[in-house]
Amino acid sequence: MDKLKFAVLPGDGIGPEVMAVALEVLARASEADGLTLEPVEADAGGIAIDRHGTALPEETLRICSESDAILFGSVGGPKWESLPPREQPERAALLPLRKHFSLFANLRPGLLYPELIDASPLKADRIPDGIDLVCIRELTGGLYFGQPKETRDLPGGDREAVDTMIYKKSEIELITDVAIATARSRKHRICSVDKANVLENSVLWRKTVTEYLAVHAPEIELTHMYVDNAAMQLARDPNQFDVILTENMFGDILSDEMAVICGSLGMLSSASLGTVENRHGHRFGLYEPAGGTAPDIAGKDLANPCAQVLSGAMMLRFSFGLEKLADRIEAAVRRTVVDGTRTGDIAFGGKSVGTREMGRAIANHL
Ligand code: IPM
Ligand code: MG
C-alpha cells in the first residue's frame, strides 16, 4: 500500500482552517514512511448549500464512495439556521452520511494528559493522573433516525411532534461487539449506560448487552448505569470508567460532557465506523472532530486544530491499519500541547499561538 485515498469534507466555520493543518501534518508524517496521501476534496454542509443548493451533493457522495475513508471537518453555522430544520447542514449532510455508509459505531476517546490537569474544570485532586476513557456511541439508531419523525397538526388547533426511539437487538449486539474490542485493547471494563428504569429501549439494551457479553466476552467486567447517574459520575470521578457503551442520544450528550472535563472540546476526535471493508482490508470510516464549527472564531486563526489532527490519526489507525503512524501523530500532538503549556505558548481558554503555528509545531514534533 502506498496511496492513501480519502475524501476530505472541510465543511463550514473553522472546518477549513483546522482541516488545512490536519492535511499538512498527515502529509508530513506519512511522507516520512514513504506513503502518499491522496485527499480528494468535496463540499458538504453549508458551503454545499451555497454552491450546489443541497447540503450533501451527489458528487460528494460519489467521491466518498470511491474513497477508503472520509476526513470530515464540521458543518453548520448561523447563516443556515433559518432554513427549515430538515435542510440545515447538520441534519442534511452529517446524519445522511452516517446513515448512507452505515457508520453505526462512534468512538470518542476522552483523554486528558496528566500535564494538562489544570485545563479541566474538575478539581485536580479528582484526576491526579489525568483522564483516560472512551465513549462508544451507537450512531445510526435511536431517536436520531427512528420513524415516525414529524410535527403534525391536531384537530382543534394544537400541534404535536414525535421522534421515535427504536433499537433492534441486532443493532445493540453490533455496537456491543465494538465496545468489547475496545475494552480488550484497554482495561477490560465496560459500563453500559441506559435508562432502564423508564425506557423499554433501555430494558432491551441492558438485557442484550448482558447476554452478549456473557457469551462472547465473559472476561470483560460489565456494569450498568442509568444515564442521569452516569452524567453525575463523569463529573465526580471520570476514571471509574474505562469504556462507556451507550445509545445515540445519550452518547451525544455524555461525549460533550466528557470533552469538557478533558479540558477542551478542541481536543476531542472521533471515528465513526461501519462494517464495510475498504480496499485496504480495513474498515471504511468517517473521522471528525466533535467540537463543531465555532463560527465565533472562524477565520481568525484561533481554532485549536488538535481534534482534527487526532481525527486524522484515527483514520490512519482504523481505515488504513497504520497503527505506528497514528501513534506518532498522537505523540506529536501531546508533546506540542504539553510543551506549549509549559512555555505558556498554547493555552486552553487563554493565550493562543494560533491555528497555523500550532500546526507547524505539531509537524516539528513528529
Ligand atoms: C455530534 C454532533 C451531531 C450529533 C450533530 C451536529 C448532528 O453533536 O457529532 O455529536 O448530534 O450527532
Ligand atoms: Mg454532539
Side-chain angles (χ1 to χ4, degrees):
M1 176 182 62
D2 46 3
K3 285 227 167 108
L4 312 181
K5 183 169 176 182
F6 55 96
V8 173
L9 277 44
D12 310 313
I14 60 168
E17 302 164 56
V18 293
M19 184 65 84
V21 167
L23 290 178
E24 175 67 28
V25 172
L26 290 181
R28 285 275 295 274
S30 42
E31 109 201 339
D33 282 7
L35 300 163
T36 312
L37 298 188
E38 207 182 308
V40 187
E41 200 169 316
D43 293 331
I47 190 169
I49 295 178
D50 292 351
R51 287 186 180 162
H52 315 277
T54 164
L56 189 61
E58 279 299 317
E59 170 74 355
T60 300
L61 264 186
R62 187 185 61 76
I63 289 173
C64 293
S65 305
E66 290 171 2
S67 303
D68 293 311
I70 303 170
L71 190 58
F72 194 89
S74 41
V75 295
K79 188 172 174 194
W80 305 281
E81 268 164 19
S82 52
L83 288 173
R86 279 169 202 269
E87 290 170 31
Q88 289 183 14
E90 295 89 332
R91 267 178 80 177
L94 187 55
L95 299 188
L97 263 179
R98 289 175 180 169
K99 198 67 179 177
H100 183 86
F101 292 105
S102 306
L103 304 172
F104 68 92
N106 184 231
L107 282 66
R108 297 191 169 176
L111 191 62
L112 173 69
Y113 312 132
E115 298 89 341
L116 292 187
I117 284 171
D118 288 344
S120 172
L122 298 191
K123 289 204 178 75
D125 61 357
R126 301 198 168 217
I127 42 169
D129 304 316
I131 300 172
D132 183 5
L133 61 114
V134 55
C135 179
I136 308 285
R137 165 188 175 195
E138 201 292 329
L139 203 60
T140 48
L143 280 171
Y144 276 62
F145 294 100
Q147 295 295 333
K149 187 178 192 62
E150 62 189 13
T151 306
R152 52 203 178 203
D153 291 319
L154 296 173
D158 204 356
R159 305 194 82 195
E160 69 181 8
V162 56
D163 294 277
T164 305
M165 185 170 187
I166 182 160
Y167 268 108
K168 291 196 184 73
K169 185 178 169 201
S170 54
E171 292 175 300
I172 303 168
E173 288 179 343
L174 263 184
I175 191 71
T176 303
D177 214 39
V178 175
I180 290 172
T182 310
R184 282 191 173 138
S185 69
R186 298 175 50 95
K187 295 182 198 135
H188 291 74
R189 287 195 282 125
I190 294 176
C191 178
S192 172
V193 171
D194 62 39
K195 187 72 183 172
N197 48 350
V198 177
L199 301 176
E200 281 300 309
N201 264 272
S202 288
V203 174
L204 180 66
W205 182 278
R206 192 174 280 220
K207 186 169 186 293
T208 305
V209 172
T210 306
E211 290 172 0
Y212 195 84
L213 259 96
V215 174
H216 298 277
E219 83 282 8
I220 304 252
E221 180 194 312
L222 173 67
T223 52
H224 301 275
M225 201 179 272
Y226 296 141
V227 63
D228 48 350
N229 186 24
M232 180 185 76
Q233 295 298 338
L234 260 178
R236 207 183 61 83
D237 174 20
N239 286 318
Q240 71 184 277
F241 300 104
D242 179 29
V243 175
I244 293 178
L245 164 62
T246 193
E247 63 87 45
N248 206 346
M249 181 90 253
F250 298 158
D252 178 44
I253 298 167
L254 291 181
S255 60
D256 263 28
E257 184 185 354
M258 187 183 77
V260 78
I261 63 168
C262 288
S264 167
L265 216 49
M267 297 298 290
L268 184 66
S269 56
S270 85
S272 303
L273 307 174
T275 43
V276 175
E277 271 196 9
N278 62 22
R279 284 169 300 182
H280 300 276
H282 296 284
R283 281 184 187 212
F284 180 87
L286 180 149
Y287 302 85
E288 59 170 325
T293 53
D296 50 324
I297 57 165
K300 296 186 180 157
D301 195 39
L302 284 175
N304 182 347
C306 289
Q308 188 77 59
V309 174
L310 293 170
S311 299
M314 288 182 103
M315 175 179 79
L316 296 180
R317 171 172 296 122
F318 293 115
S319 285
F320 295 104
L322 297 165
E323 189 74 35
K324 288 219 174 77
L325 195 52
D327 286 348
R328 186 136 47 84
I329 293 171
E330 286 166 0
V333 169
R334 177 174 182 152
R335 277 196 294 273
T336 305
V337 174
V338 169
D339 272 11
T341 307
R342 279 206 201 97
T343 60
D345 281 342
I346 294 166
F348 286 79
K351 181 176 165 253
S352 164
V353 295
T355 310
R356 285 192 292 269
E357 201 176 325
M358 193 152 178
R360 282 191 288 274
I362 297 170
N364 289 338
H365 277 100
L366 282 167

